[in-house]
Amino acid sequence: MLARLSASTVIKKSTAGLVFNEARRAISVQSILHGSPEAKEEGDVQVQQHSRVVARGKYIHGFEIHRVKPSAVDEYKKAAEGYYASIKDDPELHVKLTGSWETVVGEQDTFFHILEYENYSGYDKTTAKIRTSEYYNAYKKMAPYLNSRSLQLSQEFAFFPTAPPHTEGGIFELRCYQLKPGTLLEWEQTWRRGIEARRKFVEPVGAWFSQVGRLHQVYHLWQYPDLKARKETREKAWQLDGWAETVAKTAHFSKFMDAYILQPLPYSPLK
C-alpha cells in the first residue's frame, strides 16, 4: 500500500512538474514570439532613454523616398514641385520643407524629400489638414509616375541641428547606416567626436536617427562643391587624430551602409 502511495505521489509530482515546465516553456515561447509585457515595457523605456539622450527633441523629420519610373522622371519632377513647393509656403500647415533631391549616384530615379514637423503632434495635425485640402490632389498627381514610395519619421541628433535654408550650390552626400540593434548610443558618442574633428573642413547639413519605419537607421547629410572637393575633404579627414578609430567603430556598429550623391531640385530650400 505504501509502495502504491509512493508511486502515485511520484507520478503526481512528475506530472505537475511536467505541466509547470510545459507552461513555463509556453510562456517563454510566447515571449519570444510576441514579447512579454515586461519585455515590451523595458524596450519602451530604452527607446525613450535613447531619444532623450541623443535627440534634439524639438522636431520630427519625415523622410519621403520616391522611386520613380525611369520613363516618367520629368513628369514626376513637375508634379513633385506642384506639391512640395506649395506646402512649404503655407504658414497654416506648420511644416517646413528641409529639401528635395534627386539621386545622381546611387539608386537611380530615386528622390528624397525631407520635411520638418513640430514634433509628433505637429505631424498629426499637418497630415490631417493636407488630406482634407487641395494639397492632397496635388500629392496624388505624383502617384502615376511612382514605382514605390516610403516614409520614415526621424529625429535630429542633438550634436548637430539641421542647417537652415541656404543656396551654396554643389552636390549633397546622404550617408545611411543600418545599425545593429542596441548600438545607437555608442554610435552617437563616436560620431559626436568624429564630426567635431571633421568640421574643420566641412560642416554637416544634418544628422538624424529613425523613430518610425525602418528602425536603427542613421543618416547624415553633407554638402560639397563637387565630387573632387568631396574626395579631397575625406582625404584630409584621414589625417585627423581619431578619425580612423571613428571609421572602424562605425563599421563595427553597422550592418550595412550606403552613400548617395544627390542633386537639389530647383525649389529645394537647401541647395
Side-chain angles (χ1 to χ4, degrees), residues 13 17 23 32 34-35 49 56 75 78 90 122 132 146 159-160 202 226 251 262-263:
K13 287 184 177 180
I32 292 172
H34 304 291
Q49 289 174 341
R56 185 182 177 203
E75 292 85 350
K78 292 177 183 177
D90 188 339
T132 57
L146 299 178
F159 62 75
F160 200 86
V202 62
D226 49 40
L262 309 177
Q263 178 176 311

Side-chain angles (χ1 to χ4, degrees), residues 203-267:
E203 285 283 336
V205 175
W208 306 268
F209 64 97
S210 62
Q211 289 276 274
V212 182
R214 175 67 64 85
L215 298 180
H216 311 295
Q217 278 196 328
V218 168
Y219 300 94
H220 48 91
L221 186 65
W222 305 82
Q223 188 171 12
Y224 304 96
D226 49 40
L227 283 172
K228 182 176 181 293
R230 171 187 176 273
K231 175 179 179 294
E232 292 171 349
T233 300
R234 291 179 63 81
E235 288 175 348
K236 290 177 182 177
W238 281 102
Q239 299 172 17
L240 298 171
D241 290 339
W243 183 251
E245 181 183 1
T246 297
V247 174
K249 286 186 176 181
T250 296
H252 177 72
F253 298 147
S254 303
K255 297 174 69 174
F256 59 83
M257 58 188 78
D258 293 283
Y260 303 94
I261 301 300
L262 309 177
Q263 178 176 311
L265 296 177
Y267 59 87

Side-chain angles (χ1 to χ4, degrees), residues 78-91:
K78 292 177 183 177
E81 182 170 5
Y83 173 68
Y84 291 106
S86 60
I87 65 169
K88 77 178 180 68
D89 293 328
D90 188 339

Side-chain angles (χ1 to χ4, degrees), residues 75-113:
E75 292 85 350
Y76 167 81
K77 287 181 181 180
K78 292 177 183 177
E81 182 170 5
Y83 173 68
Y84 291 106
S86 60
I87 65 169
K88 77 178 180 68
D89 293 328
D90 188 339
E92 294 185 2
L93 287 179
H94 300 287
V95 61
K96 296 179 181 177
L97 178 64
T98 299
S100 291
W101 296 269
E102 177 182 6
T103 303
V104 293
V105 180
E107 190 175 354
Q108 299 291 283
D109 308 311
T110 301
F111 293 78
F112 289 86
H113 307 278

Side-chain angles (χ1 to χ4, degrees), residues 49-58 155-159 188 209 211:
Q49 289 174 341
H50 285 186
S51 297
R52 288 172 182 170
V53 171
V54 305
R56 185 182 177 203
K58 189 175 182 181
Q155 282 190 282
E156 297 169 295
F157 279 105
F159 62 75
E188 187 271 347
F209 64 97
Q211 289 276 274

Side-chain angles (χ1 to χ4, degrees), residues 107-160:
E107 190 175 354
Q108 299 291 283
D109 308 311
T110 301
F111 293 78
F112 289 86
H113 307 278
I114 303 178
L115 297 104
E116 181 181 275
Y117 302 94
E118 297 173 0
N119 222 307
Y120 288 106
S121 60
Y123 172 81
D124 290 337
K125 292 175 183 176
T126 299
T127 53
K129 191 166 186 177
I130 287 175
R131 291 192 194 101
T132 57
S133 71
E134 70 276 9
Y135 296 119
Y136 189 59
N137 291 327
Y139 182 84
K140 290 193 296 184
K141 288 181 180 179
M142 294 185 288
Y145 311 123
L146 299 178
N147 279 324
S148 67
R149 59 193 171 114
S150 64
L151 169 62
Q152 184 180 66
L153 299 182
S154 300
Q155 282 190 282
E156 297 169 295
F157 279 105
F159 62 75
F160 200 86

